[in-house]
Amino acid sequence: MELSRRTVIAGAAAAGVTAAMSGTAHATGGHKPVKSLFGKLADGTKIHRWSLENGGTRMKVLSYGGIVQSLEIPDRRGRRTNVSLGFDTIEEYVASSPYFGALIGRYGNRIGKGRFTLDGKDYQLSVNDGENSLHGGSKGFDKVVWDVEPFTKGSDVGLYLHYTSADGEMGYPGTLRTKVTYTLTRSGDWRIDYEATTDKATVVNLTSHVYWNLAGESSGTIYDHELSIAGSRYTPVDSGLIPTGELAKVAGTPFDFRRTKTVGEDIRVPHQQLLYGKGIDHNWVLDKGITAKPEWVATLRDPSSGRTMKIATTEPGLQFYSGNFLDGTLVGSGGSIYRQGDALCLETQHFPDSPNQPSFPSTTLRPGQTYRTTTVHSFSA
């Protein structure tokens, strides 16, 4: 049997994960999502912002890129602050955003040389990261306008985001109809459900690219954050950050987060993989593999505030990026310059370059199949 995300049924079986596993203390009623005008693109297209609140968590989401512009959670004293990096204007997102808070597709992470072969046919993708294709190409899902529909369902509130990617867009085959659901639960958890269908065989790997700093956006580096990842192996990369195909053991390397340690504990160790990534920019092979419902795979904690985020997912991989390419050229929504290590990303996913790595779990989606994955972020302090 092919090991594929298409074996995942992230529907009814996953629906109870938030209630069953949440450790969040806040459980208050949700507020109906509120829509406002955020700005306009150069062609006059209006970009709206949706504000949601439930269970102590506040979130602001843009129709442009499905971007989470801010996400506020309480500390141990109940004080809320924005824990995600972002900008104040649509112009800044369009001009220079390194995927702050965005939905990523059609293919999260890198595809080597922007090429792959499927069913005997060669495809050339948009190349936008040296000789490689990154996060869907030069105009991935992070740079398109999504149709957004708010909802309230029982004690949950959220947004349905829809986008149809035309056959051939960024070089990908098939018309891909995508639906992403953002849900804030009564416990303050943020759940993401991804769905997609296609009319031709294609490859898909959707994810979210929030930059996290649980001490607060603009508060400094995340090197003192405590992190654990339930992965005994990772995928080493070459100098272009493309996986070599090896599933290497984390034991005895800076990539061993099986026991909780600070992000900065080993980040300056002279290891060739850290030199390639200018820090950590690697995919963890999660011990649980692909699962029918989300299972806990990572915990991130800021000791200064007590804020803790646990991540559960159906996916087999987790890309941990330590903010290595934040270079002091961007000013964020808090008015401070973003520098290296000021945030990190934990992107649930299938593995990078899977279309060119037969031994990796498949990312192929065919007509008649429905792509489904789920990730839950649970917050506490």
Side-chain angles (χ1 to χ4, degrees), residues 155-335:
S155 58
D156 296 342
V157 299
L159 303 171
Y160 299 121
L161 299 99
H162 297 268
Y163 177 69
T164 298
S165 177
D167 182 20
E169 185 173 280
M170 296 292 103
Y172 288 91
T175 299
L176 191 77
R177 301 184 184 279
T178 307
K179 176 184 177 182
V180 179
T181 305
Y182 288 171
T183 303
L184 285 186
T185 73
R186 69 186 301 270
S187 298
D189 295 350
W190 174 35
R191 175 183 172 122
I192 314 174
D193 293 286
Y194 304 89
E195 298 179 33
T197 58
T198 184
D199 59 1
K200 292 182 183 178
T202 191
V203 295
V204 190
N205 190 26
L206 305 181
T207 191
S208 171
H209 209 294
V210 172
Y211 283 67
W212 301 99
N213 187 323
L214 298 185
E217 178 272 343
S218 293
S219 66
T221 77
I222 41 74
Y223 294 145
D224 63 346
H225 279 38
E226 299 164 350
L227 176 65
S228 63
I229 301 174
S232 301
R233 295 179 183 269
Y234 76 107
T235 52
V237 296
D238 61 21
S239 60
L241 301 182
I242 298 299
T244 63
E246 180 186 6
L247 304 183
K249 293 182 179 179
V250 300
T253 78
F255 301 94
D256 192 350
F257 282 87
R258 291 174 298 171
R259 67 165 180 85
T260 300
K261 67 179 182 181
T262 64
V263 171
E265 180 173 328
D266 294 323
I267 206 164
R268 304 294 183 190
V269 171
H271 190 285
Q272 184 60 61
Q273 288 294 307
L274 295 180
L275 292 171
Y276 282 153
K278 295 182 172 59
I280 298 172
D281 193 2
H282 293 76
N283 168 68
W284 265 250
V285 179
L286 299 173
D287 292 338
K288 71 174 188 64
I290 300 170
T291 47
K293 63 181 181 179
E295 295 184 10
W296 295 123
V297 296
T299 300
L300 182 69
R301 180 178 182 271
D302 167 45
S304 64
S305 66
R307 294 188 185 93
T308 300
M309 177 177 69
K310 295 181 67 178
I311 296 176
T313 189
T314 57
E315 290 282 61
L318 180 75
Q319 183 81 10
F320 170 22
Y321 167 58
S322 57
N324 318 321
F325 300 104
L326 297 173
D327 59 4
T329 60
L330 302 176
V331 178
S333 57

